Amino acid sequence: MKIDWEKDCKDAMWSMFWVSHERGDTTADEESLKENVARLIRMATQKTAGQRKPKADIDWNAITPTLMNIALSATAMCLNGRFGEMPKYIEEP
């Protein structure tokens, strides 16, 4: 079954993304995405996995906000048309 995702999406997150979509500027989203991906890579490759606190290590408690920032930036860029037109319908899983 195909789902009209725009029609069914009525929560506060959609409102936030729509403002970004209407603005049409993805520069901030691109910079945020790159910065957070770099942070995620650093977190995943540090030898202590954030358990000990050398100055250069990033605390693993930052993983959830980092992943959410990546998801939010990627979503805003998709809605702004950075990767082409969004599909009208999606398939139900």
Side-chain angles (χ1 to χ4, degrees), residues 42-83:
R42 176 67 180 116
M43 290 172 73
T45 58
Q46 58 196 17
K47 294 189 183 343
T48 64
Q51 295 172 5
R52 285 171 275 165
K53 290 304 235 171
K55 285 187 179 184
D57 275 7
I58 300 172
D59 188 349
W60 266 89
N61 290 327
I63 190 111
T64 301
T66 300
L67 292 172
M68 283 304 299
N69 283 329
I70 290 170
L72 293 171
S73 294
T75 302
M77 289 172 65
C78 287
L79 290 174
N80 282 333
R82 179 75 170 94
F83 306 111

Side-chain angles (χ1 to χ4, degrees), residues 5-6 13-26 29 72-87:
W5 63 273
E6 287 181 307
M13 296 298 276
W14 174 249
S15 297
M16 183 182 72
F17 293 137
W18 190 252
V19 169
S20 177
H21 174 67
E22 289 295 308
R23 195 180 60 218
D25 177 24
T26 61
D29 301 320
L72 293 171
S73 294
T75 302
M77 289 172 65
C78 287
L79 290 174
N80 282 333
R82 179 75 170 94
F83 306 111
E85 190 174 324
M86 291 291 291

